[in-house]
Amino acid sequence: QVQLVESGGGLVQAGGSLRLSCAASRRTFSSYAMAWFRQAPGKEREFVAGINWSSGGTAYVDSVKGRFTISRDNAKNTMYLQMNSLKPEDTAVYYCALTSPARLYTSSRSWDYWGQGTQVTVSS
């Protein structure tokens, strides 16, 4: 079993930045991907960004391209999401997820493990 723990959420003004972290309890798969999803009140969980752990290949939802950057630290089994130029519409609970083998699915139903979520609130 893999446990994922997010951190780094908070309250920030529009135009500001935050960095989210997701630490995985252990590395157990030879092929896997990790991703960030977000869910705003009354809305479905949305794919934000994903990374293939071995190749480093990434994918982003159009609304965050150029503002968010996903990255990983192999030694720490940790994934990051650097969020710049934040907008009020980025307000949501952000979740990290993992799936094996590595596929950057945009549907939340295709991901196997989830963190507990961290709140990001962007004020206008």
Side-chain angles (χ1 to χ4, degrees), residues 9-115:
L11 173 64
V12 65
Q13 289 188 333
S17 298
L18 283 174
R19 189 176 81 152
L20 305 183
S21 300
C22 174
S25 59
R26 56 181 178 151
R27 191 181 310 168
T28 61
F29 308 106
S30 59
S31 169
Y32 64 100
M34 293 185 71
W36 291 98
F37 284 76
R38 65 187 179 187
Q39 189 166 21
K43 295 189 176 181
E44 293 189 354
R45 195 166 294 190
E46 172 191 37
F47 175 88
V48 176
I51 186 165
N52 181 311
W53 202 263
S54 58
S55 71
T58 59
Y60 296 89
V61 67
D62 286 346
S63 60
V64 308
K65 286 181 180 177
R67 301 188 298 123
F68 291 10
T69 303
I70 190 170
S71 62
R72 73 202 191 294
D73 184 326
N74 278 318
K76 296 181 179 179
N77 287 347
T78 299
M79 174 180 66
Y80 303 98
L81 186 68
Q82 178 66 44
M83 305 186 294
N84 299 328
S85 301
L86 282 161
K87 305 175 180 180
E89 51 263 44
D90 294 318
T91 295
V93 177
Y94 283 70
Y95 298 90
C96 69
L98 183 150
T99 190
S100 177
R103 294 288 188 276
L104 295 181
Y105 302 109
T106 56
S107 170
S108 61
R109 293 187 297 271
S110 299
W111 293 78
D112 305 308
Y113 301 95
W114 292 88

